[in-house]
Amino acid sequence: MKSNRVLLSILGWVIGFIIFFPILWMVMASLKTEIEAVATPPSFFFTPTLENYFVVQSRSDYLNYAWNSIVISVFATLLAILIAVPASYSFAFRPTKRTQFKLVWILSTKMMPPVGVLIPMYLFYKNMGLLDTHLGLILIYTLINLPIVIWVLYTYFKDIPQEILEAAQMECDGLLNIFLYILLPLSKSAIFSTSLLSIVLIWNESFWSLNLTAFEAAPLTTFISSYSSPEGLFWAKLSAASTLAILPIMFLGWVTQKQMVKGLTLGAVK
Amino acid sequence: MKSNRVLLSILGWVIGFIIFFPILWMVMASLKTEIEAVATPPSFFFTPTLENYFVVQSRSDYLNYAWNSIVISVFATLLAILIAVPASYSFAFRPTKRTQFKLVWILSTKMMPPVGVLIPMYLFYKNMGLLDTHLGLILIYTLINLPIVIWVLYTYFKDIPQEILEAAQMECDGLLNIFLYILLPLSKSAIFSTSLLSIVLIWNESFWSLNLTAFEAAPLTTFISSYSSPEGLFWAKLSAASTLAILPIMFLGWVTQKQMVKGLTLGAVK
Amino acid sequence: MGSINLVGVSKSFGDVLVIPSVDLEVNEGEFVVFVGPSGSGKSTLLRLIAGLEEVSKGRIEFNGQDMTNLAPAKRGLAMVFQSYALYPHMSVRENIGFPLKMAGMPKSEIAAKVQEAAKILNLSEYLERKPRQLSGGQRQRVAIGRAIVRQPKAFLFDEPLSNLDAALRINMRLEIMELHQQLKTTMIYVTHDQVEAMTMADKIVVLDHGNIEQVGSPLELYRAPDNLFVAGFIGAPKMNFLTGGEASRYNATTIGVRPEHVQISTSSGLWTGKVGVSEHLGSDTFLHVNVEGQQSPLTVRADGEVQLNYGDTVYLSPEEDKVHKFDNDGKAIR
Amino acid sequence: MGSINLVGVSKSFGDVLVIPSVDLEVNEGEFVVFVGPSGSGKSTLLRLIAGLEEVSKGRIEFNGQDMTNLAPAKRGLAMVFQSYALYPHMSVRENIGFPLKMAGMPKSEIAAKVQEAAKILNLSEYLERKPRQLSGGQRQRVAIGRAIVRQPKAFLFDEPLSNLDAALRINMRLEIMELHQQLKTTMIYVTHDQVEAMTMADKIVVLDHGNIEQVGSPLELYRAPDNLFVAGFIGAPKMNFLTGGEASRYNATTIGVRPEHVQISTSSGLWTGKVGVSEHLGSDTFLHVNVEGQQSPLTVRADGEVQLNYGDTVYLSPEEDKVHKFDNDGKAIR
């Protein structure tokens, strides 16, 4: 019984290490020279160098891409939340016979392969002058994330007892007051973690950013792909670029971990 | 009041048409000649031709890609379900203090940008001989979808009253019987719609398929991107290719719509 | 301050007619209880008065003024919900003070009012706590406090005690009754529990399928039920009903006699039967007697010390002046 | 067929000791009720017997055989759950037959057994329905049917009636009692409702905080409670407790007297008080009288016709031989 537990623990840690290994490999590779990086088997002991990072920053303007990623993910998320809150509210608290169907329909739009609409979207953006603009990416990411944001908020709102809102209705006049004093404070952690989720999803999206931007509004996913171009792969530099691209979002995730757990599990578990 | 409703209805239909428009555009473009396809404004009246479809099938073997898509998405989904069912079962019915944390941790792995681990994964696949093989894609898609499949099944299992399983425990000996006679029949529609979701997600995935396959095991997403290569865009042919790529999954979605609505909303709404 | 009048009020949800047409007068200061089984429309009626549901037809008047289409917050009514409906993100103090804050009262005044209400309800020590840190009974008291501070024209209670355990329920029942004695404000109370209705009400409104079956004081309903439904619903244990020959002897289709109005004897009586299961409560014993020719056993209340065994033959006689007679339609014959 | 013995059984969840140590004997054919407030460990004790929880320390024996570590299905017990726990994807027929199917019984035999159980429980018409198409009472009967067909060594009931409405609850109570009369199988029944305990039990086990406070027949507990907890828990309305001078007159720290053992008079008596709220049930009237020097009002049972008003002065006298005396530790003085 007891030795079983120890074995299970060891197994768990081994699996954990295997899952974590690619990230470790990447960070290590980014600190090696190009020659060391392609060595097989990979060397675990080497003299770390920040060389790759300097090259990457000087060759392509990292900060420009990072800034674009931040602007686009934050504003698209804000817009999506602004649209999703009233939508989820009415789905959760004023359900009709067709609410279920509408919710599934909304989610089903996510099942369409994006390649299918690439051409018309590209032409549309070109004609409207939205190519390689922040606004262009913000709009498309808002629309792409809306179904998920609506679903997560809906799931959360649905868990708020109807009677609490009815009590509020008896005591304060107007929907705005109910929203400001009751609904918003009650769901702030859900809104917060939904926002984080949306930011992360946008941060990692590469299909539309690669196809609709060049440099002006290009986010970090474009930045990385410029290092995996066919003219020759540079493992160490690509690793440095990847590390730089992941860094901000990893940091954000780490800082907001507790809030995130609270928001994601409050509706589900408690 | 009444005229308001009519206006709202019209507005709804207009928005619906706008959302639907890109798909319509694509299907129409696939039936035009290359010259008609690039005309601005697009013409709505033209003589449809199946020419593009014949060209696409003869130039690149559509059926090969479609077969790869089917094999990969079905087997990766099966594998994910096989792993996720016992995992979700233990999360839902044998929760510990750390269950919440583990669930969030599982989901958080989805927040890692895939570019971050492209290099180590590529090298790993190369060394193991998994590049451009069905097995390679099946394995990575299983792992990618596992968090979502576990969450959806967990959410569903959690809604099954504990007392039903306890009653089963009093009456049938062994976990296997409980699973076969009680849990599986109770959750078959949830498992079914989770599987569909997983198939759709894999079908539409392009990042890993583009980077880890060439032709042998390449799915439809690779097939399309070969038509948007830099050597010159052919709108009409790309449209035909896209239509062909979407067709199977749209058909699947349409056929299983009812099952899907039932499975997705049973846990959430009822 | 608060007389409430319903005139021809009806309510449909879609095609389903929940309340056909109700006329009802609630006088100022009265404690009125709506009682009925689930699906009787009692909660819907309360929610119509509160304004949480729209009236389909008819009129609701407060002190003679039509308020049918007024927003809930403007009606000046306070409601206590079954689930307490406290705001989980606010402390007890904020919960109680919330309606006053919404009414735009100055902070110092709110503080004083909250203090006062907390004192009445023994909540002074808990003012800084969040609802989740309170027991069920305390939560219920906070909900009542939130209703009191507004000094409403009337209180509406929607099964406020059904989430409490038995002992607490009896305590809270007495507290609400004391409150009514002190405030003398109109109260409308919804419950499915006829014991609550009997003990608390000045006036009981018995509802079934959205129709008012009878309106009256508890003892009026107990002594002279208008029909079979009220006769069977009011009183515990349930009234015994007999049909066939036993009933026609009284020129009725059905006769009813309460368990406490049947004399039991081991020697002689009007009806003969065999003792079934018996329930010993200590204070009383209820015997279930299978009488010949009757489908269901008759319940008889005997005093606490009676000892009869399963299967013994006994004789029963009703107290003649306590026999209720009903005609073919279930209406009482007087 | 089923005597059950608990020897020094204790249960902890993590660091929390829920049941310190319980010794209990349940004889064959007995109807034993575990009763106590929520958190008293009554359900945990039942689940230990069922095998749904692991015993932390101690032994559980069936007919003298140790079964502490046997899987639930191997214990030969049948359990009826609070939520009925029917399998939603099976018809009534399949639900009832499921335990037999699992036991590997041939199909024809199962069909016959199911038919028979359905007949006893008036379910024959509903055999092809799914649980969701049944009413609460019918679901409960299916759950009982599923338990009966197994011919278990003992039945375990976990608050089986608490999801039913009042009228149905009384009916089902009688049905379960009739069932026990017919089958004569050992039954262990958990409830928080002392009325259910009093009416149904051969033997009541009163639990509080995981400890057995008293074991005895309903009337033993009613007439001679061992301590303050049992005295206050058994009997409705609750026993009145008096402390201070009134108690020392009887050489006790606390005395208790039940509402039905207090004489009320408008002229003279042992204690003087003012009438508070009164509860008119028709059959009885319960008066709450504020007695000088006592914190909480005394409840007094008067007959249905008494009419006293709020604030009237009345005199109360206990029936001397019905006064319960308790010492400093709350133990009964006999």
Side-chain angles (χ1 to χ4, degrees):
Chain A
M1 199 80 181
K2 199 142 195 193
S3 70
N4 263 349
R5 288 218 168 162
V6 172
L7 272 175
L8 270 176
S9 275
I10 293 174
L11 190 70
W13 282 103
V14 168
I15 291 174
F17 181 75
I18 292 173
I19 290 171
F20 178 67
F21 184 73
I23 302 174
L24 181 70
W25 193 96
M26 181 187 71
V27 174
M28 287 200 327
S30 75
L31 299 170
K32 295 176 182 177
T33 64
E34 285 296 345
I35 295 156
E36 283 172 337
V38 291
T40 315
S43 56
F44 280 87
F45 304 98
F46 56 93
T47 324
T49 166
L50 286 175
E51 168 100 30
N52 295 313
Y53 287 91
F54 291 118
V55 173
V56 163
Q57 167 61 17
S58 65
R59 215 176 80 178
S60 44
D61 188 2
Y62 168 71
L63 288 176
N64 166 59
Y65 291 101
W67 175 246
N68 287 338
S69 272
I70 292 170
V71 168
I72 290 164
S73 60
V74 167
F75 279 95
T77 296
L78 276 180
L79 206 54
I81 294 277
L82 272 180
I83 300 172
V85 165
S88 315
Y89 176 89
S90 49
F91 281 134
F93 297 116
R94 298 278 183 277
T96 67
K97 269 185 236 163
R98 301 185 63 75
T99 297
Q100 286 193 23
F101 176 80
K102 282 183 200 157
L103 277 165
V104 173
W105 181 81
I106 284 174
L107 200 65
S108 75
T109 61
K110 289 289 292 177
M111 300 202 170
M112 174 93 160
V115 277
V117 290
L118 174 58
I119 318 157
M121 286 307 289
Y122 182 83
L123 292 180
F124 178 73
Y125 265 55
K126 199 174 152 193
N127 288 340
M128 302 290 285
L130 287 169
L131 279 182
D132 206 10
T133 62
H134 287 160
L135 182 65
L137 278 194
I138 289 172
L139 284 180
I140 197 155
Y141 285 146
T142 302
L143 290 172
I144 284 176
N145 274 348
L146 210 45
I148 286 174
V149 173
I150 288 178
W151 262 81
V152 175
L153 285 182
Y154 165 76
T155 310
Y156 188 84
F157 283 165
K158 213 172 40 68
D159 281 355
I160 298 178
Q162 184 96 30
E163 288 200 338
I164 287 182
L165 289 186
E166 289 183 343
Q169 241 181 302
M170 296 291 292
E171 286 161 8
C172 51
D173 212 19
L175 210 54
L176 188 69
N177 278 335
I178 295 177
F179 182 75
L180 284 181
Y181 289 103
I182 308 296
L183 200 66
L184 202 61
L186 270 180
S187 48
K188 59 173 189 268
S189 73
I191 291 176
F192 180 78
S193 43
T194 311
S195 304
L196 276 182
L197 182 73
S198 163
I199 286 176
V200 168
L201 287 174
I202 295 170
W203 195 277
N204 296 345
E205 207 284 333
S206 59
F207 181 82
W208 293 107
S209 64
L210 285 176
N211 283 299
L212 298 180
T213 64
F215 176 78
E216 282 300 325
L220 283 168
T221 36
T222 326
F223 162 73
I224 298 173
S225 67
S226 71
Y227 282 86
S228 58
S229 56
E231 71 221 41
L233 282 164
F234 295 98
W235 294 130
K237 297 201 182 53
L238 180 48
S239 293
S242 298
T243 308
L244 282 172
I246 303 180
L247 218 61
I249 205 76
M250 294 276 267
F251 181 73
L252 184 70
W254 184 66
V255 167
T256 57
Q257 207 173 17
K258 265 205 184 141
Q259 268 294 330
M260 197 92 172
V261 174
K262 211 174 135 199
L264 279 176
T265 55
L266 210 72
V269 181
K270 205 206 143 191
Chain B
M1 198 79 183
K2 199 139 195 193
S3 71
N4 263 348
R5 289 220 164 158
V6 173
L7 272 175
L8 270 176
S9 274
I10 292 173
L11 189 71
W13 282 103
V14 169
I15 292 175
F17 182 75
I18 291 173
I19 292 172
F20 179 67
F21 184 73
I23 301 174
L24 181 70
W25 193 98
M26 182 188 71
V27 175
M28 285 199 330
S30 75
L31 299 170
K32 295 177 183 175
T33 64
E34 285 296 346
I35 295 159
E36 281 171 336
V38 290
T40 317
S43 57
F44 279 88
F45 303 98
F46 57 92
T47 322
T49 166
L50 287 174
E51 167 102 35
N52 296 311
Y53 288 93
F54 290 119
V55 173
V56 163
Q57 168 60 18
S58 65
R59 215 176 83 180
S60 43
D61 188 4
Y62 168 72
L63 287 176
N64 167 57
Y65 291 102
W67 175 246
N68 288 338
S69 271
I70 291 170
V71 167
I72 291 163
S73 59
V74 167
F75 279 95
T77 295
L78 276 180
L79 207 54
I81 293 278
L82 271 180
I83 301 171
V85 165
S88 314
Y89 176 88
S90 50
F91 282 134
F93 298 115
R94 298 278 183 278
T96 68
K97 270 185 235 163
R98 302 185 62 73
T99 297
Q100 286 192 22
F101 176 80
K102 281 182 202 159
L103 277 165
V104 173
W105 180 81
I106 285 175
L107 200 64
S108 75
T109 59
K110 287 291 293 179
M111 301 204 171
M112 176 92 158
V115 278
V117 291
L118 174 59
I119 317 154
M121 286 307 289
Y122 182 85
L123 291 179
F124 179 73
Y125 265 56
K126 200 175 149 189
N127 289 338
M128 301 292 284
L130 288 169
L131 279 182
D132 206 12
T133 63
H134 288 160
L135 182 65
L137 277 195
I138 289 172
L139 283 179
I140 197 152
Y141 284 146
T142 301
L143 290 172
I144 284 176
N145 274 347
L146 210 45
I148 286 175
V149 174
I150 289 177
W151 262 81
V152 176
L153 285 182
Y154 165 76
T155 310
Y156 188 85
F157 283 165
K158 214 171 39 64
D159 281 356
I160 297 178
Q162 184 94 32
E163 287 199 340
I164 286 182
L165 289 186
E166 290 184 343
Q169 242 181 300
M170 296 290 293
E171 288 162 8
C172 50
D173 212 20
L175 209 55
L176 188 69
N177 277 336
I178 295 177
F179 181 76
L180 284 181
Y181 288 103
I182 309 296
L183 200 68
L184 203 61
L186 270 180
S187 48
K188 59 171 189 272
S189 72
I191 291 177
F192 181 77
S193 44
T194 311
S195 303
L196 276 182
L197 182 73
S198 164
I199 287 176
V200 169
L201 287 174
I202 295 169
W203 196 277
N204 295 344
E205 209 283 333
S206 59
F207 181 82
W208 292 107
S209 63
L210 285 176
N211 283 299
L212 297 180
T213 64
F215 175 79
E216 282 300 326
L220 284 169
T221 38
T222 326
F223 162 71
I224 297 172
S225 66
S226 72
Y227 282 87
S228 58
S229 56
E231 70 221 41
L233 282 164
F234 295 98
W235 293 131
K237 297 203 181 52
L238 180 46
S239 293
S242 299
T243 307
L244 282 172
I246 302 180
L247 217 61
I249 204 77
M250 295 275 268
F251 180 72
L252 185 69
W254 183 69
V255 167
T256 58
Q257 208 173 14
K258 266 207 182 137
Q259 269 294 330
M260 199 93 172
V261 173
K262 209 172 137 200
L264 280 175
T265 55
L266 209 72
V269 180
K270 204 210 143 187
Chain C
M1 250 156 41
S3 80
I4 299 172
N5 243 325
L6 307 191
V7 187
V9 166
S10 90
K11 175 69 185 172
S12 313
F13 290 107
D15 295 339
V16 187
L17 185 65
V18 179
I19 295 176
S21 174
V22 160
D23 294 279
L24 183 69
E25 224 165 294
V26 175
N27 298 321
E28 187 177 326
E30 244 177 354
F31 196 116
V32 175
V33 175
F34 293 174
V35 70
S38 57
S40 62
K42 54 191 191 300
S43 277
T44 307
L45 204 55
L46 192 77
R47 292 165 62 82
L48 288 172
I49 295 172
L52 293 172
E53 303 282 357
E54 266 176 56
V55 173
S56 301
K57 235 184 258 171
R59 228 167 49 243
I60 298 179
E61 294 171 356
F62 293 78
N63 301 326
Q65 275 184 295
D66 188 352
M67 301 225 176
T68 316
N69 294 313
L70 225 54
K74 303 245 171 172
R75 299 192 182 198
L77 306 174
M79 186 150 168
V80 176
F81 291 86
Q82 181 170 1
S83 63
Y84 323 131
L86 302 180
Y87 308 124
H89 59 297
M90 298 185 189
S91 67
V92 170
R93 181 191 300 284
E94 290 164 332
N95 261 288
I96 297 179
F98 185 69
L100 304 178
K101 187 172 162 194
M102 285 297 105
M105 194 181 271
K107 276 194 181 169
S108 57
E109 244 177 277
I110 295 178
K113 291 248 182 196
V114 170
Q115 211 63 260
E116 195 191 314
K119 209 168 152 189
I120 295 176
L121 295 161
N122 280 321
L123 287 169
S124 304
E125 304 169 45
Y126 308 109
L127 280 176
E128 304 314 325
R129 294 213 190 155
K130 288 282 169 68
R132 65 171 172 280
Q133 299 167 303
L134 301 177
S135 69
Q138 288 164 344
R139 284 181 208 186
Q140 190 55 268
R141 269 197 231 118
V142 175
I144 292 173
R146 196 172 61 181
I148 291 175
V149 287
R150 300 178 61 187
Q151 297 182 295
K153 289 188 220 152
F155 289 94
L156 309 178
F157 292 92
D158 190 6
E159 309 222 17
L161 305 183
S162 52
N163 285 353
L164 301 176
D165 70 31
L168 208 51
R169 206 180 302 155
I170 292 167
N171 278 340
M172 287 302 301
R173 199 160 86 190
L174 295 177
E175 281 188 36
I176 293 174
M177 287 162 76
E178 280 289 353
L179 201 70
H180 183 242
Q181 291 287 355
Q182 286 165 30
L183 299 178
K184 303 279 184 204
T185 311
T186 312
M187 293 188 178
I188 302 182
Y189 187 105
V190 163
T191 180
H192 63 271
D193 180 354
Q194 64 92 20
V195 176
E196 262 179 34
M198 289 294 281
T199 54
M200 301 178 83
D202 293 327
K203 183 154 100 188
I204 295 181
V205 178
V206 183
L207 288 156
D208 188 34
H209 297 299
N211 290 308
I212 295 185
E213 296 289 334
Q214 191 170 357
V215 178
S217 76
L219 289 183
E220 276 166 29
L221 300 191
Y222 175 81
R223 288 188 194 136
D226 272 353
N227 51 47
L228 276 175
F229 179 80
V230 176
F233 193 77
I234 299 288
K238 213 169 155 296
M239 187 186 280
N240 298 302
F241 293 114
L242 295 98
T243 52
E246 306 303 337
S248 32
R249 189 180 308 166
Y250 291 86
N251 293 319
T253 310
T254 310
I255 58 167
V257 57
R258 297 193 184 277
E260 54 270 30
H261 300 144
V262 180
Q263 303 296 327
I264 190 162
S265 150
T266 48
S267 50
S268 69
L270 188 57
W271 303 318
T272 318
K274 282 201 191 312
V275 174
V277 291
S278 43
E279 306 180 293
H280 301 278
L281 288 172
S283 48
D284 301 295
T285 297
F286 291 102
L287 299 168
H288 297 266
V289 180
N290 296 298
V291 170
E292 290 157 24
Q294 297 298 326
Q295 278 200 327
S296 47
L298 261 64
T299 313
V300 180
R301 167 164 156 178
D303 72 48
E305 314 291 317
V306 161
Q307 281 292 12
L308 284 162
N309 295 318
Y310 191 88
D312 285 0
T313 301
V314 289
Y315 302 91
L316 306 176
S317 324
E319 295 175 22
E320 288 298 335
D321 57 334
K322 299 280 173 64
V323 173
H324 304 266
K325 289 167 276 204
F326 303 93
D327 65 17
N328 236 334
D329 300 328
K331 296 254 169 290
I333 307 172
R334 296 244 166 81
Chain D
M1 250 149 47
S3 82
I4 299 172
N5 245 324
L6 308 190
V7 187
V9 166
S10 91
K11 174 69 186 172
S12 313
F13 291 108
D15 296 339
V16 187
L17 186 65
V18 179
I19 294 175
S21 175
V22 159
D23 294 278
L24 182 68
E25 223 165 294
V26 175
N27 298 322
E28 188 178 324
E30 243 178 356
F31 197 116
V32 175
V33 175
F34 293 175
V35 70
S38 58
S40 60
K42 55 191 188 302
S43 276
T44 307
L45 204 56
L46 192 77
R47 292 166 60 83
L48 288 172
I49 295 172
L52 294 172
E53 304 281 357
E54 264 176 57
V55 172
S56 301
K57 235 184 259 172
R59 228 168 49 245
I60 297 178
E61 294 170 354
F62 293 76
N63 301 328
Q65 275 185 295
D66 188 352
M67 302 224 176
T68 316
N69 294 313
L70 223 55
K74 302 243 172 174
R75 298 191 182 198
L77 305 174
M79 186 148 167
V80 176
F81 291 85
Q82 181 170 1
S83 62
Y84 323 131
L86 302 181
Y87 307 124
H89 58 298
M90 298 185 191
S91 67
V92 169
R93 180 191 299 283
E94 288 164 334
N95 261 288
I96 297 179
F98 184 70
L100 303 179
K101 186 173 163 192
M102 285 297 105
M105 193 180 271
K107 279 194 180 168
S108 57
E109 245 177 278
I110 295 179
K113 291 247 181 196
V114 170
Q115 211 63 260
E116 194 190 316
K119 208 167 155 191
I120 295 177
L121 294 160
N122 279 323
L123 286 169
S124 305
E125 303 169 46
Y126 308 109
L127 280 175
E128 303 315 325
R129 294 213 192 156
K130 288 282 168 68
R132 64 172 172 281
Q133 300 167 303
L134 301 177
S135 70
Q138 288 165 343
R139 284 181 208 188
Q140 189 56 269
R141 268 197 233 119
V142 175
I144 292 173
R146 197 172 60 182
I148 290 175
V149 287
R150 298 179 61 188
Q151 296 180 296
K153 288 187 221 150
F155 289 95
L156 309 177
F157 293 92
D158 191 5
E159 308 223 19
L161 306 184
S162 52
N163 285 353
L164 301 177
D165 69 31
L168 209 50
R169 206 179 300 154
I170 292 169
N171 277 341
M172 286 303 300
R173 198 160 86 191
L174 296 178
E175 280 189 35
I176 293 175
M177 288 163 74
E178 280 288 353
L179 199 69
H180 184 242
Q181 291 288 357
Q182 286 166 28
L183 299 178
K184 303 279 183 204
T185 311
T186 313
M187 293 188 179
I188 302 182
Y189 188 104
V190 163
T191 180
H192 64 272
D193 180 354
Q194 64 92 20
V195 176
E196 260 179 35
M198 290 294 281
T199 53
M200 300 178 84
D202 293 327
K203 183 154 100 186
I204 295 181
V205 179
V206 183
L207 288 155
D208 188 33
H209 297 298
N211 290 309
I212 293 184
E213 295 290 333
Q214 192 170 355
V215 178
S217 75
L219 288 183
E220 276 166 29
L221 299 191
Y222 175 81
R223 289 187 192 137
D226 272 354
N227 52 46
L228 277 176
F229 178 80
V230 175
F233 192 78
I234 298 288
K238 214 167 154 296
M239 186 187 279
N240 297 301
F241 293 114
L242 295 96
T243 52
E246 305 304 337
S248 31
R249 189 183 306 168
Y250 291 87
N251 294 318
T253 311
T254 310
I255 57 166
V257 56
R258 297 193 184 276
E260 54 269 31
H261 301 144
V262 180
Q263 302 298 326
I264 190 161
S265 151
T266 49
S267 50
S268 68
L270 188 58
W271 304 317
T272 318
K274 281 198 191 312
V275 174
V277 290
S278 44
E279 306 180 294
H280 301 279
L281 287 172
S283 48
D284 300 295
T285 297
F286 292 102
L287 299 168
H288 297 266
V289 179
N290 296 297
V291 170
E292 290 156 23
Q294 297 299 328
Q295 278 199 329
S296 48
L298 261 65
T299 311
V300 181
R301 166 163 157 178
D303 72 48
E305 313 291 318
V306 161
Q307 280 290 12
L308 285 161
N309 294 319
Y310 191 87
D312 285 1
T313 301
V314 290
Y315 303 92
L316 306 176
S317 323
E319 295 174 21
E320 287 300 333
D321 58 332
K322 300 280 173 64
V323 173
H324 303 267
K325 289 166 277 206
F326 302 95
D327 66 15
N328 237 333
D329 301 327
K331 294 253 169 294
I333 307 171
R334 298 251 163 80

